[in-house]
Amino acid sequence: MEANQRKACDVVVVVERNTLMRSAKPLFSQYVRPIIEEFLKRNNCRAGIVNEKAGMRGESRLSTIVVNGNRVLGLPPADIREPSNSVDALMTDLDEVPLNGGGGCREFDLVEGLAAALECFARFTKEREVMGDSTVVARACVVLSYSQPSEEPAIASVDYCGLTGEKLMGLMGQSGIRTSFVCPNGYSRNRLMGLAEANSVTGNVPAQCAIKQHSCTVVLCGMQLPVAEPEAATPQP
């Protein structure tokens, strides 16, 4: 494959519903979006610039998975939302996710989100097979994680029931899915994040995000974000 050959990119963002809205908004714009845009750029991916649903031959697919947690009655543990073909559409969808706070889910709930992410990527692959679409695809998952440690396996997923977080992360690696984590330092650094960090590159990202009394730990898999050039000093009169 030639270095400049265009690809499609499948990107899934996993976010916990129990995230505080005022904490998540800056993370979306300062971390999640730059990570996705850098991934698309590095892979020379096709990505639409209009707010349309994904599904055409050769297109990228970008989707959100909302981890509802065990405290939200009447909802599945993880909800796979309709994919789009552009970063703008994905960010609009993230902005519309009803985040209700509550201190974050447990890692058990996040495991359900990772299982749903694998199901989502498999769905995208199947759709392309049905269409006869042989476009080369690069895959990435971005996890906005507030979870606390747990070793419980997934139970809601049909295909991945009984698998622990370690095994799910292993499957993602084997499938070529680059999984990055964004996690406020004020919460526990969960085991999944440690696994991702052990097999990834920590990028040159800002130490602080625009949240009072919060900094972020960002673990990037296989890439670094560009560092902004410092502003030139203003000459003194």
Side-chain angles (χ1 to χ4, degrees), residues 118 121 139 160 163 165-179 199 221:
L118 282 165
F121 285 115
R139 298 177 176 87
Y160 303 102
L163 296 186
E166 287 90 346
K167 290 189 179 296
L168 291 169
M169 287 292 293
L171 286 176
M172 285 190 163
Q174 293 167 22
S175 301
I177 301 168
R178 297 187 177 276
T179 306
N199 295 288
C221 184

Coordinates of all heavy atoms in Angstrom, one line a residue, residues 118 121 139 160 163 165-179 199 221:
L118 N -16.2 -2.9 20.7 CA -15.8 -4.0 19.8 C -17.0 -4.4 18.9 O -16.8 -4.7 17.7 CB -15.3 -5.2 20.6 CG -13.9 -5.1 21.2 CD1 -13.7 -6.1 22.3 CD2 -12.9 -5.2 20.1
F121 N -17.3 -1.8 16.1 CA -16.3 -1.9 15.0 C -16.7 -3.1 14.2 O -16.5 -3.1 12.9 CB -14.9 -2.1 15.6 CG -14.3 -0.8 16.2 CD1 -14.1 -0.7 17.5 CD2 -14.0 0.2 15.3 CE1 -13.5 0.5 18.0 CE2 -13.4 1.4 15.8 CZ -13.2 1.5 17.2
R139 N -8.5 2.1 12.7 CA -9.5 2.1 13.7 C -8.9 2.7 15.0 O -7.8 2.4 15.4 CB -10.0 0.7 14.0 CG -10.7 0.0 12.8 CD -11.1 -1.4 13.1 NE -11.8 -2.0 12.0 CZ -11.3 -2.5 10.9 NH1 -10.0 -2.7 10.9 NH2 -12.0 -3.0 9.9
Y160 N -19.2 -10.8 23.8 CA -18.0 -10.7 24.7 C -18.4 -10.9 26.1 O -17.6 -10.5 27.0 CB -17.4 -9.3 24.5 CG -17.0 -9.0 23.1 CD1 -17.8 -8.2 22.2 CD2 -15.9 -9.6 22.5 CE1 -17.5 -8.0 20.9 CE2 -15.5 -9.4 21.2 CZ -16.3 -8.6 20.4 OH -16.0 -8.4 19.1
L163 N -15.8 -11.7 29.4 CA -14.5 -11.2 29.2 C -14.2 -10.1 30.1 O -15.0 -9.2 30.3 CB -14.3 -10.8 27.7 CG -14.4 -11.9 26.7 CD1 -14.0 -11.4 25.3 CD2 -13.5 -13.1 27.0
G165 N -11.8 -6.7 31.5 CA -11.2 -5.6 30.8 C -9.9 -5.9 30.1 O -9.6 -5.4 29.0
E166 N -9.0 -6.7 30.8 CA -7.7 -7.0 30.2 C -7.9 -7.8 28.9 O -7.2 -7.5 27.9 CB -6.9 -7.9 31.2 CG -6.4 -7.1 32.3 CD -7.3 -7.1 33.5 OE1 -8.5 -7.4 33.3 OE2 -6.9 -6.7 34.6
K167 N -8.8 -8.7 28.9 CA -9.1 -9.5 27.6 C -9.7 -8.6 26.5 O -9.3 -8.8 25.4 CB -9.9 -10.7 27.9 CG -9.3 -11.8 28.8 CD -10.1 -13.0 28.9 CE -9.4 -14.1 29.7 NZ -8.1 -14.5 29.1
L168 N -10.6 -7.7 26.9 CA -11.1 -6.8 25.9 C -10.1 -5.9 25.3 O -10.0 -5.7 24.1 CB -12.3 -6.0 26.5 CG -13.5 -6.8 26.9 CD1 -14.5 -6.0 27.7 CD2 -14.2 -7.3 25.6
M169 N -9.2 -5.4 26.2 CA -8.1 -4.6 25.7 C -7.2 -5.4 24.8 O -6.7 -4.9 23.7 CB -7.3 -4.0 26.8 CG -8.0 -2.9 27.6 SD -8.2 -1.4 26.6 CE -6.5 -0.8 26.5
G170 N -7.0 -6.6 25.1 CA -6.1 -7.5 24.3 C -6.8 -7.7 22.9 O -6.1 -7.7 21.9
L171 N -8.1 -7.9 22.9 CA -8.8 -8.1 21.6 C -8.7 -6.8 20.7 O -8.6 -6.9 19.5 CB -10.2 -8.4 21.8 CG -10.5 -9.9 22.3 CD1 -12.0 -10.0 22.6 CD2 -10.1 -10.9 21.2
M172 N -8.8 -5.7 21.4 CA -8.7 -4.4 20.7 C -7.3 -4.3 20.0 O -7.2 -3.9 18.9 CB -8.9 -3.2 21.6 CG -10.4 -3.0 21.9 SD -10.7 -1.4 22.8 CE -12.4 -1.2 22.5
G173 N -6.3 -4.6 20.8 CA -4.9 -4.6 20.2 C -4.7 -5.5 19.1 O -4.2 -5.2 18.0
Q174 N -5.3 -6.8 19.2 CA -5.2 -7.8 18.1 C -5.9 -7.3 16.9 O -5.5 -7.7 15.8 CB -5.7 -9.1 18.6 CG -4.9 -9.7 19.7 CD -5.6 -10.9 20.4 OE1 -6.5 -11.5 19.8 NE2 -5.2 -11.2 21.6
S175 N -7.0 -6.5 17.1 CA -7.8 -6.1 15.9 C -7.2 -4.8 15.3 O -7.8 -4.2 14.4 CB -9.2 -5.8 16.4 OG -9.8 -7.0 16.9
G176 N -6.1 -4.3 15.9 CA -5.5 -3.1 15.3 C -6.2 -1.8 15.7 O -6.1 -0.8 15.1
I177 N -7.0 -1.9 16.8 CA -7.8 -0.7 17.3 C -6.9 0.0 18.3 O -6.5 -0.5 19.4 CB -9.1 -1.1 18.0 CG1 -10.0 -1.9 17.0 CG2 -9.8 0.1 18.5 CD1 -11.1 -2.6 17.7
R178 N -6.5 1.3 18.0 CA -5.7 2.1 18.9 C -6.6 2.7 19.9 O -7.5 3.6 19.6 CB -4.9 3.1 18.1 CG -4.0 2.5 17.1 CD -3.1 3.6 16.4 NE -2.1 3.0 15.5 CZ -0.9 2.5 15.9 NH1 -0.6 2.6 17.2 NH2 -0.1 2.1 15.1
T179 N -6.4 2.4 21.2 CA -7.3 2.8 22.2 C -6.6 3.9 23.1 O -5.5 3.6 23.7 CB -7.8 1.7 23.1 OG1 -8.4 0.7 22.3 CG2 -8.8 2.1 24.1
N199 N 1.4 0.1 26.6 CA 1.6 -0.3 25.2 C 1.3 0.9 24.3 O 0.8 0.7 23.2 CB 0.7 -1.5 24.8 CG 1.1 -2.7 25.6 OD1 2.1 -3.3 25.3 ND2 0.2 -3.1 26.5
C221 N -2.4 6.2 22.2 CA -1.9 5.0 21.6 C -1.3 5.2 20.2 O -2.1 5.5 19.3 CB -3.0 4.0 21.5 SG -2.4 2.3 21.0

